[in-house]
Amino acid sequence: MRVEINGESREVAEAITLSALIESLSVETKVAACAVNMAVIKKDQWPSYQLAEGDRIELLQFVGGG
């Protein structure tokens, strides 16, 4: 199925969970927050959150500075 990840269209496996998607991208240690279709998904929900065709996913990491 096709989803959009941080503005980039990608083909991913059907019935993939948010957690599995993040693992497949090898960014699990960098992702601090995630939003799907503009709704923040709590980290404890990632393993059970099923993605759907056309979802818009934003993977966010916190950056310090000042």
Side-chain angles (χ1 to χ4, degrees):
M1 72 180 168
R2 188 154 293 282
V3 297
E4 187 176 295
I5 304 170
N6 291 357
E8 182 181 319
S9 182
R10 290 200 181 201
E11 191 71 29
V12 298
E14 293 287 332
I16 193 169
T17 64
L18 187 51
S19 184
L21 172 71
I22 292 168
E23 287 176 24
S24 75
L25 297 171
S26 299
V27 295
E28 59 267 50
T29 59
K30 297 177 184 177
V31 176
C34 182
V36 178
N37 302 322
M38 303 293 285
V40 175
I41 308 302
K42 293 183 180 183
K43 198 166 192 166
D44 64 346
Q45 295 175 321
W46 294 2
S48 61
Y49 190 93
Q50 292 284 322
L51 296 170
E53 178 77 31
D55 277 347
R56 292 183 335 269
I57 303 144
E58 293 294 327
L59 304 177
L60 309 166
Q61 61 182 343
F62 295 117
V63 178

